[in-house]
Amino acid sequence: MARVYYRFRQNTKKVETKGNMHSCFPNKSDQQGWAGDGCTPYTADRVPGKVPVSKASISHNVRTGMLEQVSQATVSLACTVTPDPGTARQLRDPLHQYQLVWLGLNFYLFIDTFQWYEDDNAYIYTRIMLGSTLAWARASATCLNFNCMLILLPVCRNLISFLRGASIYCGGALRRQLDKNITFHKMVAYGIALNATIHIVAHSINIERYHSSQSKEAGGLRNKLSGLGKSPNESYLNPIRTYETNTTGQVLTTIAGITGVVITVALILIMTSSTELIRRSCYEVFWYTHHLFVVFFTGLIIHGMGQFVRGQTPQSLLLHNVTYCKDHYWEWENATQCPLPQFSGNTPVAWKWVLSPMVLYICERIVRFWRFRQEVIITKVVTHSSGVLELHMKKHGFKMGAGQYIFLQCPSVSQLEWHPFTLTSAPEEDYFSVHVRVVGDWTAALFKAFGAEEKAFKELWMLPRLAVDGPYGSATTDIFHYGISVCIAAGIGVTPFASILKSIWYKCCNPNTVLALQKVYFYWICRDPSAFEWFADLLFHLETKLAEKWKNDFLSYHIFLTGWDESQATHIALHCDDKMDVITGLRQKTCYGRPNWDNEFKQLAENHPSNSIGVFFCGPKALSKILQKTCNSYSSVDPRGVQFHYNKESF
C-alpha cells in the first residue's frame, strides 16, 4: 500500500490507496536498463518484422525442468551488425557542424595571435629573450579568453529556453543544437583545459629563459636587455632582476604568479570533479567544486594586471630604430637613433571577453532566486514501496509543456543544491508532478525529510518547503513538431515519455485539437518486469481511448523485457496464448530480449519513405551512440527521402 497525502486550501485528509511503482529521473540516469553492444539478438511475439517466440520450445523446457535454457531459447537468434555511417552523413549532424565552427574560430584566433607576436616589432627584444614560447603563451591566452567567454552561456538555462522558444521559427536544427548545450559546455571546458596547459607550459619555459638571460653566458644583447630598469628613467623588460633570484619565489610574489596558481588549482578541481565517476557516485562533490568558477573568473580578470609579458612602447618604437639598434646595442644612449628602449606590459583584456557572459549569468541567477522565493504548494505525496517518492505540486503562474523538466531544491536538505527532475504530469492537468527515486545522498535525505521511512502519516503542513526552478524545454518537447515520431526509452529513461503520452491522451479526448503528429512509435527496453506496472496503466488508458476514436494505428508501442527468472519464464509459457499480455495486461505482447535496431529502422524507412522522422531517446550513452549511428545510416542521402533526426534527452 502506498501512502498518499492530499492538500487543500481549507482542510487536509489522509487517504489510503494502492500505489503502483513509479520511476524518477534525477540527475543520474539509469544504466541498468541497457547493456547493449549494437549486435544483440531478440525475439518478439505478434510484432511485424520480428520472429515470434516458440511456445513449443518453452513448454518442452518447462516440462523437462530445464528452466535455465528458457531465457537462452528466447534470445537465440542471429543479429545484424549496424553499419557504420558515412562521413558525409555524420557531418549533416548540426552538432558536428557547430563543432567545426568552434574549432575553426579557435584555430583562427590561435594562428592570428601567434603570427602577431612572431612578427610585431614591439616584441622583437622580448622574442630575443624568450623565443617562440612568447607567441605560444599569448596565442593560448587569447583562445583561453575566447572559451571562457563561451563557457557560461550554455548553462544559462533561461537564456537557452528563450532561444529555444524563438528558434521554433528557425527550424529544428537550431533547437537540436540548443538541446546539446551541456555537450557544448563540456567541449568548451576541454578547450579551456588544453589552452591553459599550453599557457602554463609556455610561461614556465619563459621564466627559465628570463632567468638564463641574467647569466654571463646569455650574450651581450640579452645581458643588456636584462640590465635595463636599474635607473629611475629606465623601464625593465626582464622581471627576473638577478641571476641569483629564486624564480619560484619571485613569481609567487607577483600578481600574475599568485592568480595563475589560484586559477590553475580551481581549474584542476573543477575538471577532476566533473568526471562521470564523481558525478554519479558523489554528485555533491561535483556540485560544490563546480562553483569554484567564481574564483576562476575572478583570478582570470586580475591575472592580466600582473603584466608579466612586456613589449616596447609605441613612443619608443618611433625614436628607437629596432632594426639597426638590435645589432648595435653598445651604441645605445650614445647614438641619436638608439636611445634606451622603453617597455610596458600589455593592458588587461580578459575582462572584455567575459564581462557580457558574466552579466548574463548574474541575471540568470537573479531570475532563479526570484523563482526560489515563489511559494510551491504540495498537494499530494505518495510513498511507493519501490523506493520512489511521488510529489504533486502547484505554483502560481507555472506553465509547462509535455516532456519538460524542473530543478528542485529542498532548503532543509541543502541550501545550495538544485537537482533536475523530468515532469511526469501533462500540461492539461491542474498540477505538476515528479517522481523521485533514491539514488544518492540528496534524494535519500529528501526521502527522509518527507517522512517516507516513517510508519506514521505526516501532515502536509509539517512537510519541508520545496523550491522549483523551471520548467525548461528539452528534446522531447519537439515530438509534436514531426509527422512521425519514434520514442525510445531505456530503463528509467521512460519518465519524460510519460508526460508526452499523457498529453497525447488528453489531446485525443479533445475533439477541437488538431495534431500535426500522425504516428508515434514507442519502444521501452527494461530489465525489471515489475517496472512495467506503473506505465502499463497509462498505456492501457491510451490504448482504450485511441480505440474509441478509431485511431488504433496512431500509437505503435513495443515493450522489451531484457531480464527474467525461472518462475517468470514458467508463467510466460503457461499464458502464452492469452489475448492479454501476461506481464503488462495490454493487447500488445511484451517482447523478450533486445530489439535489433537495424531491422527496426529499416522497417521504419520502408513504411515512411519520404518523411522527416523525429527520433527521441532517453537512456544510457551506450545505446545513444548506437541509435545515433543508426539514424545517420538509414537517413537518405537524397533530401527528398526519409530523414531520421536524432534527439537525445540531456541534463
Side-chain angles (χ1 to χ4, degrees), residues 369-523:
F369 180 76
W370 173 70
R371 288 178 173 169
F372 164 77
R373 301 295 300 173
Q374 291 181 312
E375 182 186 12
V376 176
I377 301 172
I378 302 173
T379 59
K380 182 180 178 182
V381 177
V382 182
T383 303
H384 297 287
S385 58
S386 55
V388 173
L389 187 68
E390 179 184 353
L391 301 174
H392 289 206
M393 295 164 282
K394 288 185 178 182
K395 182 180 178 182
H396 179 71
F398 187 90
K399 295 180 180 179
M400 63 166 288
Q404 290 187 320
Y405 65 96
I406 60 172
F407 281 80
L408 275 184
Q409 187 205 52
C410 184
S412 63
V413 175
S414 172
Q415 290 284 347
L416 299 175
E417 292 184 51
W418 292 81
H419 292 259
F421 293 91
T422 302
L423 291 167
T424 54
S425 55
E428 293 81 3
E429 294 173 318
D430 61 351
Y431 64 90
F432 61 96
S433 66
V434 295
H435 291 77
V436 183
R437 186 182 60 173
V438 179
V439 289
D441 295 339
W442 188 88
T443 50
L446 184 72
F447 207 77
K448 184 177 181 180
F450 275 82
E453 298 175 349
E454 300 175 7
K455 295 182 179 180
F457 289 103
K458 201 169 187 178
E459 299 292 345
L460 286 174
W461 62 270
M462 299 175 60
L463 295 176
R465 175 179 175 268
L466 287 179
V468 172
D469 182 24
Y472 295 106
S474 62
T476 52
T477 58
D478 287 341
I479 285 178
F480 295 101
H481 296 158
Y482 292 91
I484 310 296
S485 290
V486 180
C487 305
I488 303 172
I492 209 65
V494 74
T495 310
F497 300 113
S499 177
I500 296 291
L501 294 179
K502 280 184 182 180
S503 186
I504 290 176
W505 179 35
Y506 281 109
K507 291 181 188 302
C508 290
C509 294
N510 187 353
N512 299 322
T513 302
V514 178
L515 280 175
L517 184 62
Q518 300 298 318
K519 178 70 176 180
V520 177
Y521 294 91
F522 177 71
Y523 296 85

Side-chain angles (χ1 to χ4, degrees), residues 23-34 280 403-405 421-423 474-477 479 486-498 500 522-526 597 615-625 627-628 646-651:
S23 65
C24 65
F25 196 89
N27 47 27
K28 310 173 182 70
S29 60
D30 182 276
Q31 299 238 9
Q32 296 181 350
W34 177 262
R280 294 190 177 280
Q404 290 187 320
Y405 65 96
F421 293 91
T422 302
L423 291 167
S474 62
T476 52
T477 58
I479 285 178
V486 180
C487 305
I488 303 172
I492 209 65
V494 74
T495 310
F497 300 113
I500 296 291
F522 177 71
Y523 296 85
W524 188 19
I525 305 99
C526 191
W597 296 114
V615 179
F616 300 87
F617 172 71
C618 188
K621 291 181 180 179
L623 180 54
S624 177
K625 293 178 180 178
L627 292 172
Q628 188 167 16
Y646 183 71
N647 302 267
K648 181 183 182 298
E649 190 78 14
S650 301
F651 290 98

